[in-house]
Structures are given as C-alpha cells and as structure tokens.
Amino acid sequence: MGIVPEKAPIARGRATHNGSRSSNDSRWAEQLLGASAIAVAGNDMGRIQHLMWVLNDLAYLSGDTNQRLAGYGLKALFCRVAGSGELPSSYSLPNSSFIPSDPRSLHRAFLRFYDASPWHHMVYSVANWAILDACEGHTKIHVVDIGVSQGTQWPTFIEALATRPSGPPTLMRLTTVEDLSSIVSGKFQIGSSTEFVGRLQPFATKMGLKLELHTVSVPLDSLKREHLGLKEDELLIICAQFRLHQLQESEDSIRTNVVPVSPRDAFLKFLHDLNPHLFVMSENDVDHCSPDFLTRFEKVVDFQWRFLDSTNASFKGRECEERQIIENQAAMALHNNVACEGTSRIERNESHWAWRSRTRKAGFLPQPPKEEIVENAKSLLKKYDAHWDMEGDEACIVLRWKRQPTTFCSLWK
C-alpha cells in the first residue's frame, strides 16, 4: 500500500467565492506540515502515513490558502519520503486539474501576475527607474540582464529611455544571460529568452530606439567576460534578478590560494571586476540556506504561505488558469527545498542582510535610491492591496506582505 491514497474524500469547509475559509483563517496547514516534517525527519513511518492521509483529505489546490499550501507541501514531502525529486505518474490530489506548462501559457500567466501583484512588479520598476537615472547623459548603453523576466521588464524601460527629455541614446545593447536551470529550479519559467526577448526589437524600432539584442547560453558559474562583448565606450549596467540564489553558498566548493570561496561570492567578485556603472540585484528576502531539514522546512513553508496568501488577495479570491500556473510554478521552489538535498537543491535564497554582506565583500558600494524612486515605489504600491508595504535603507527597498519581507531590490556601484 502506498503512503498516500490516490483518492480521498474532500474536506469540509471549502473556500467561499472570495477565497476565504468559512470556519476560520488559522494557519492549520503549516502546523500539519510541520508535524509531518518532524515525522519524516525521524523516519516514523506510521505517523508519516497517518499525517499524509490527513493532509491528502484536506488538500485542495483550488481552495483557500491553507488547502493550497497543504496540497503543495504534501507533494514535496511525498517526494522526500519516496527519495525522488519527481512525483510518480500515479500520484494525484483530489479535484486537481491539468495545469498548462507551454511557454505561451506561462508567459500569459506571468504578465497577468505582473499586473495583479507587486511581488515582481515592484522590484522590476525600482530597477528600471534606477537604470534610467544612471543612463542620463550617456549615448551608448549596455545592459546585461541576468534575470527571469525574459523580456517582461524591458518594454516600459525602452519606452522611457526612447522618450527621455534629452533624447534617446544612439545605441542600447541588451545582453540576456539565459536561465538554463529554470526547469528544475521552480522559478517563473516562461519559455525561451530568444522567443520573448526577440519581441523587443520591433517595439524599440517603433519607439525610435536602436536596440541590439544578444543572448548568452552558459551556466552562471561558467560566465566569462568574453561572453558579454563589453566595449570601452559603453555605459555598463548589470541587472541580476532572482537568479544569484541558484549559486551554491557554501565556502568549500572553490579554493583560491587555499582560501575557501563560495561560487556565490566568486560570481559577485566577477561582476564587480567588470566595473559596471550600476549593479542592480533583486531577490526573494528569506533564508533557505540551512543544512538542517526541519529549520529550512519551517522557513520555506512560511514563505510559501506569504506567496499564496498575497496571491489570493491579488486575484481577489477568484480562480483562473493564470493563477493556477503561477502558484504551481512558485511551488516548485518549495518542492526543491523539501525534496532535494546537496547540489540538487538549487533554491537557496538568502535574506537581503546576507546579500548585503556578500555584495560589500565583493567590493561593491551601496547606492541609496533617490527620493524620487522611493516616492514612485510608494505610489505604485497604492494600486494594490492595503496589506502591502515597503521599507528601505541605504541601498535597498524591501517589499513586505503583512509586514513580512517578500522581495527586495538593491543598488550598487
């Protein structure tokens, strides 16, 4: 008999039409998942089977936040117990439906999420405003895009650059470093960079901006200066968003002159040595680096709750295909942190405090966001649910949901 039945009765207390639970809004899914994780860590097979039956009975990927979290957490724990990074084909949850994963559906879902939630919209906007300010007075600009937006971020920037009061630059080059690990990492994979970034060319031409596009297809830890085609007469901007946490953070992976250096620190030093006029970094603001499974599990489940809870508010409790796609993609990060260990675990987020320390150590200096950028960010947030807010310091703007950090954007030179 398997650990979890293929079918189970549907739990009472389904979500109402606005996504709220009819009984109460306690975070019961985290408690059940936490108890299950303790049983898994202790290899208590009897308790594991009992708790997974309970979770399977309550999980519902179109339900409220608790029910969705229970479903995604159950999937991840099942894979850990099975010793596999992937679900078997026979595994199913009650009332689960097929979720499209083709590039066009993913791209459409990402655009819908971008409009509905500030989760990515805020940091991309702050990045664009900072880059536009840095480009003032320069006629040749080279932006190196190490991100996951795959073109979504850049149309508004191109329009602003082409229509700036001083006139458009004579040339903008955009070099995109493709996300080769998106299939296994669980980040918002929306198809080939070539397909979607390529759409920027006709748009830029229409706006009167000369744009050259280049794509680099190498892993981050294999990226070399010569891959980027840097030129002395161009202003260099490096924009790294939601990618650097894929690099291993341990300090025993690389040794330079017998001194331990982590791939994460080595890459930041590489970026610093390129001497960019501005370095923009955005990431999830949470620590998922603990080698202890239970410590990491608690934090990754809590962070997933923030995502699902805020997404429910963003979509106003309504169910749609785009929401299902976005939540399923985001849950892959939960899955990777729970089901995988060692080098297979690549979703290794750190807090903005830890990133600040690493970035300083690489030689970068913080660039405080200008007051205009901060005010623009505050105005942008007014479009969204009142539970969103932000805080900032010398180089960083942190987006928060119900006063808990979610994502951040930091500026360096």
Side-chain angles (χ1 to χ4, degrees), residues 102-105 107 150-151 178 190-202 213 215:
D102 61 281
R104 292 189 181 278
S105 294
H107 188 68
Q150 299 189 347
E178 280 200 301
I190 56 175
S192 167
S193 293
T194 303
E195 178 181 358
F196 295 112
V197 175
R199 298 178 184 179
L200 297 175
Q201 189 78 66
L213 299 174
T215 300

Side-chain angles (χ1 to χ4, degrees), residues 115-332:
D115 288 337
S117 169
W119 191 280
H120 284 159
H121 194 170
M122 166 67 86
V123 294
Y124 289 165
S125 296
V126 170
N128 282 351
W129 294 327
I131 296 171
L132 185 65
D133 180 70
C135 292
E136 187 59 39
H138 295 272
T139 58
K140 292 185 178 180
I141 298 161
H142 186 184
V143 177
V144 176
D145 177 18
I146 308 172
V148 296
S149 75
Q150 299 189 347
T152 306
Q153 174 183 352
W154 300 116
T156 53
F157 174 78
I158 288 173
E159 182 176 4
L161 186 65
T163 59
R164 65 182 184 180
S166 59
T170 56
L171 174 67
M172 174 186 169
R173 291 204 298 143
L174 180 62
T175 298
T176 301
V177 182
E178 280 200 301
D179 187 358
L180 300 180
S181 59
S182 60
I183 294 176
V184 293
S185 73
K187 292 205 313 304
F188 296 86
Q189 179 201 354
I190 56 175
S192 167
S193 293
T194 303
E195 178 181 358
F196 295 112
V197 175
R199 298 178 184 179
L200 297 175
Q201 189 78 66
F203 177 72
T205 300
K206 182 179 179 181
M207 296 301 302
L209 176 66
K210 183 179 180 182
L211 176 67
E212 292 184 3
L213 299 174
H214 306 273
T215 300
V216 177
S217 299
V218 298
L220 289 186
D221 55 7
S222 298
L223 188 66
K224 305 296 182 186
R225 184 185 186 95
E226 50 267 30
H227 291 138
L228 303 175
L230 305 183
K231 298 179 181 179
E232 291 291 335
D233 63 340
E234 294 178 338
L235 182 80
L236 177 62
I237 307 289
I238 298 177
C239 189
Q241 309 215 78
F242 302 100
R243 289 278 299 285
L244 300 194
H245 70 267
Q246 292 180 338
L247 295 164
Q248 295 288 311
E249 81 287 353
S250 62
E251 295 186 348
D252 57 0
S253 303
I254 300 177
R255 290 188 175 272
T256 304
N257 297 326
V258 195
V259 178
V261 179
S262 74
R264 192 167 293 191
D265 290 335
F267 189 74
L268 284 170
K269 184 64 168 62
F270 162 72
L271 295 181
H272 175 264
D273 291 346
L274 296 178
N275 194 29
H277 185 74
L278 178 68
F279 171 46
V280 180
M281 181 173 65
S282 302
E283 279 290 352
N284 298 308
D285 195 359
V286 64
D287 183 4
H288 290 159
C289 289
S290 175
D292 178 70
F293 168 65
L294 291 178
T295 300
R296 191 174 71 246
F297 184 86
E298 180 180 0
K299 292 185 177 182
V300 74
V301 168
D302 176 66
F303 194 67
Q304 188 71 15
W305 171 276
R306 289 178 223 170
F307 181 82
L308 292 171
D309 190 39
S310 64
T311 301
N312 182 63
S314 296
F315 285 91
K316 304 187 186 307
R318 293 191 292 268
E319 191 65 20
C320 62
E321 182 179 90
E322 289 85 0
R323 178 181 176 181
Q324 291 178 338
I325 291 173
I326 286 296
E327 291 181 349
N328 186 64
Q329 288 285 300
M332 291 181 188

Side-chain angles (χ1 to χ4, degrees), residues 39 45 52 140 149 165 169 222 234 261 331 339 341 362 367 370 378:
M45 294 306 298
M52 286 191 170
K140 292 185 178 180
S149 75
S222 298
E234 294 178 338
V261 179
E341 292 290 352
Q367 299 297 301
K370 290 189 174 181
K378 290 179 179 178

